[in-house]
Amino acid sequence: MNSYRSLNSIKDAIKAKKTTCLGLTKYYLENIEELRTLNAFVEVFKEEAIARAKIIDNKIAEGKAGKLAGMVIGIKDNICYKNHKVGAASKMLDGFESLYNATVVERLLAEDAIIIGRLNCDEFAMGSANENSYYGPTKNPIDESKVSGGSSGGAATAVAANLCLAALGSDTGGSIRQPASFCGTVGLKPTYARVSRFGLIAFASSFDQIGPITNTVEDAATILEVIAGQDDYDSTISTRKVEQYTKLLDDKKPKRIAYFPECFESDGLDSEVKSAILKQIQTLKSKGHIVERVSFPYLDYLVPTYYVLTTAEASSNLARFDGVHYGYRSKKADNPETTYLKTRTEGFGKEVQRRIMLGTFVLSAGYHDAYYTKAQKMRRLIQDKTKEILNEFDFILTPTTPHTAFELGLEVKNPVAMYLEDIFTVLANLSGNPAISLPLTEHSNGMPFGTQLMAKPFYESELLAFSHNLMNSL
Ligand code: GLN
C-alpha cells in the first residue's frame, strides 16, 4: 500500500480495485499514529476523513467523482477550514475556529480531496526550521535529530513520511521550497497573484503565496490547476486563465537557463551542494540546453531587503491580534491597555515579537526612509534585474538551500544565521516569480537537498514541464 506516491498511481489502483479512499485514509491515519514523534500534525480530522472517504468511494463508484478523488491532503495551520480550528501554530490563536473556508480549501473539497488534518508550522509562518511553533518542532523524517525546515515543516515531513499524499503550504520567503529541500519532496511557490490568499492567515501580504508540497511534479501540477485562478474574495488575484498544467508536461524543447556565479561563491554554501548543482548544470548542457553564467549583483541584498519589508508588513498584519477580536486574551488584562499589552506579550512567541518590533521600527517616522523606503527601492532593482535576466532565459537555476537539514536546536538562538538560510529562496518572493524545489540529490550525509528553478511570472506550465522532465531524467 505505501508504494502509492502519486495521485495517478492511486487512481489506477482504485480503478483496479486494489484500494479505496477508505483504505487509503485508514492507512495514512495509522502512519500518522505510528509516527507521532515527528509532530507533523497539529490536529488530525480522523472521523471526518473516514466519513468523507466513504462518500468519495461512492462517488467514484457512480462515476461522479472530482479530479482529486483519491488524494488525501494535509493543510498548513494557517489556512482556514470552516468549523475547524486554525492557529498559525501560535498561542495567540490556540482554540480559534474558522468561520469560513479559504478559497483553496473550497476548491480542494469541490474536487473531492480528503483533508486529513492541519499541519505544524512556524508561528505565523515565521521561521526556517519549524522550531518557532507553539506546538513544538516538526522533526525531519529522514533523521529525527534534524529540523524539517520551515515554515511549512509539518507539510514537507507529512508528505515525505507518507502521512498523506500531498499538502498545501504557504511561501513568503521560501516556506514551501526550503522544507521541501530538507525533506526530499517537490515544493512549488506559484507566481504572486496566481492562487487566492482568501483564508490564508496573512504574514507579509505582498509576498505570501499558497502552493503544493508533493512527491511528484505531476501532483503539483494537478493541485495548482485546481487551486489557481480568479477569486472574487481576493482583490490581488490575477484574472489570467489557468492553464491545464497536467496536459502540458511533455514539453521537451531545449531551454535557456541562467545561473548566478555569485551563488556558488556565497559563504555557507556546502561544498557538496555546490558540486552537485554544478554537475547538474553540466548534464543539462550535455542534453542540449543552453546554460549560462549571468551575474546577479544583488545576492547580498536579498535577505536584508526581504526582512525589512516582510517585518514591516507583518507588524501591520499582526496588529489585529489584540486580545479583543480573536483568540487569546491575557487573564491579567483589566483595562484596554493591559488587554493589548499583556495579551500580545503572552500570546506571541519570541520570533514573532522580534519581527513585530523590527517591522514597527523600520516603519517609524524617523526611520521610514532609511529602511522601509530604501528596501522598497531595492526590491524594485531586484525585480528589474530578475525580469531582465528572464527576458533572455527561460529559467534561473540555483540550489534551494545552502546545505542539508541541520540539527534541531542549532540555530534557534541565532536569528541572523536562521535568516541567512533563506538566501536562495527569497528572490522569487521579492520579485513575485514562480519557483520550484526539486529533490534531485542526496548528500553523502544521507540527507536530501533541492535544486531550485525560477521562471517568468505565470510561466508555471513551462516550469512544471521542465521540472517533470528533469525529475525523470537526472
Ligand atoms: N524563512 C522565511 C522567514 O522566516 C520564510 C518564511 C515563509 O516563507 N513563510 O520569513
Side-chain angles (χ1 to χ4, degrees):
M1 173 85 78
N2 65 5
S3 59
Y4 303 132
R5 303 294 272 176
S6 72
L7 184 59
N8 274 344
S9 62
I10 286 175
K11 284 190 169 168
D12 288 345
I14 291 177
K15 216 181 261 165
K17 306 225 179 298
K18 287 190 192 139
T19 190
T20 58
C21 290
L22 183 61
L24 279 166
T25 304
K26 285 185 172 165
Y27 162 76
Y28 289 122
L29 288 168
E30 274 166 29
N31 266 2
I32 294 171
E33 195 50 50
E34 209 167 288
L35 295 170
R36 277 229 165 276
T37 53
L38 293 174
N39 202 22
F41 281 88
V42 167
E43 187 183 352
V44 181
F45 309 139
K46 188 175 171 187
E47 305 307 329
E48 185 189 324
I50 289 177
R52 207 172 141 74
K54 289 180 189 162
I55 294 171
I56 293 165
D57 277 331
N58 284 336
K59 278 188 158 185
I60 293 173
E62 289 163 14
K64 288 186 191 150
K67 220 176 184 169
L68 298 183
M71 179 173 277
V72 176
I73 191 166
I75 54 174
K76 184 173 177 178
D77 189 31
N78 60 356
I79 298 173
C80 295
Y81 185 5
K82 191 176 176 174
N83 299 331
H84 293 74
K85 288 181 189 144
V86 58
S90 179
K91 178 175 176 181
M92 189 58 98
L93 281 171
D94 192 30
F96 177 77
E97 232 173 67
S98 179
L99 298 172
Y100 61 89
N101 279 333
T103 298
V104 290
V105 167
E106 282 286 342
R107 292 184 183 175
L108 289 181
L109 295 174
E111 290 296 341
D112 290 332
I114 297 166
I115 301 179
I116 196 165
R118 55 188 176 114
L119 293 157
N120 205 351
C121 58
D122 282 297
E123 185 179 3
F124 287 103
M126 297 175 186
S128 306
N130 211 128
E131 289 179 293
N132 298 331
S133 167
Y134 177 57
Y135 304 105
T138 299
K139 294 175 184 159
N140 193 301
I142 299 145
D143 177 348
E144 289 197 27
S145 70
K146 304 234 158 56
V147 301
S148 55
S151 64
S152 315
T157 288
V159 174
N162 220 7
L163 310 183
C164 49
L165 180 69
L168 283 189
S170 67
D171 192 311
T172 305
S175 276
I176 289 175
R177 292 159 286 151
Q178 193 255 17
S181 173
F182 280 5
C183 296
T185 66
V186 172
L188 171 72
K189 182 204 87 78
T191 308
Y192 183 76
R194 180 70 296 185
V195 176
S196 169
R197 278 103 42 86
F198 178 71
L200 171 71
I201 297 176
F203 163 8
S205 306
S206 75
F207 293 76
D208 300 339
Q209 266 300 284
I210 296 173
I213 292 187
T214 51
N215 295 301
T216 65
V217 172
E218 212 168 2
D219 281 358
T222 307
I223 293 174
L224 187 65
E225 238 169 64
V226 169
I227 62 173
Q230 204 176 347
D231 177 24
D232 290 344
Y233 297 113
D234 181 348
S235 59
T236 63
I237 195 98
S238 166
T239 52
R240 266 173 183 257
K241 203 173 144 261
V242 177
E243 288 167 283
Q244 292 293 297
Y245 305 112
T246 46
K247 305 230 162 70
L248 300 166
L249 291 174
D250 272 340
D251 170 16
K252 293 207 171 70
K253 287 193 223 71
K255 298 289 173 192
R256 295 178 59 86
I257 301 154
Y259 69 95
F260 304 151
E262 292 84 358
C263 271
F264 297 96
E265 286 147 24
S266 78
D267 294 340
L269 177 64
D270 179 277
S271 61
E272 229 180 278
V273 173
K274 177 176 169 175
S275 56
I277 304 288
L278 289 172
K279 200 170 141 214
Q280 282 168 15
I281 289 172
Q282 289 313 322
T283 313
L284 287 168
K285 281 185 186 169
S286 71
K287 294 203 162 146
H289 301 288
I290 295 167
V291 193
E292 283 175 13
R293 282 163 67 97
V294 179
S295 176
F296 185 75
Y298 304 131
L299 195 70
D300 290 342
Y301 298 87
L302 296 176
V303 169
T305 306
Y306 168 82
Y307 276 92
V308 169
L309 295 177
T310 54
T311 55
E313 293 187 23
S315 74
S316 162
N317 271 328
L318 271 61
R320 72 190 60 156
F321 302 106
D322 53 8
V324 180
H325 290 94
Y326 311 88
Y328 182 73
R329 178 184 297 175
S330 170
K331 297 209 168 39
K332 293 181 210 136
D334 50 12
N335 63 40
E337 199 186 326
T338 55
T339 301
Y340 200 67
L341 200 74
K342 291 196 160 68
T343 299
R344 288 169 69 83
T345 305
E346 293 164 21
F348 289 133
K350 283 278 164 284
E351 179 59 25
V352 174
Q353 292 188 10
R354 185 179 297 122
R355 296 201 192 197
I356 292 172
M357 286 191 285
L358 192 60
T360 307
F361 174 76
V362 300
L363 286 174
S364 60
Y367 296 97
H368 190 282
D369 286 351
Y371 294 106
Y372 184 70
T373 309
K374 199 166 182 180
Q376 274 191 312
K377 287 182 182 163
M378 197 59 229
R379 184 178 198 180
R380 173 49 65 89
L381 289 176
I382 292 164
Q383 283 170 337
D384 288 349
K385 185 74 196 165
T386 310
K387 196 168 170 193
E388 185 190 310
I389 296 170
L390 286 169
N391 277 338
E392 295 284 315
F393 293 88
D394 297 302
F395 307 115
I396 295 169
L397 185 145
T398 67
T400 309
T401 47
H403 43 239
T404 55
F406 45 90
E407 297 289 316
L408 281 158
L410 188 72
E411 288 188 2
V412 76
K413 292 204 172 65
N414 186 350
V416 176
M418 197 68 100
Y419 298 165
L420 286 170
E421 291 295 333
D422 306 333
I423 179 146
F424 300 135
T425 48
V426 292
L427 171 59
N429 306 79
L430 283 161
S431 65
N433 293 57
I436 195 164
S437 179
L438 302 172
L440 294 175
T441 329
E442 196 187 292
H443 196 278
S444 61
N445 66 13
M447 302 303 289
F449 61 90
T451 302
Q452 178 177 245
L453 286 166
M454 210 170 121
K456 294 179 188 66
F458 301 102
Y459 275 61
E460 275 86 355
S461 60
E462 283 79 358
L463 181 65
L464 289 162
F466 188 67
S467 301
H468 180 64
N469 222 336
L470 218 56
M471 286 276 279
N472 294 332
S473 67
L474 272 187

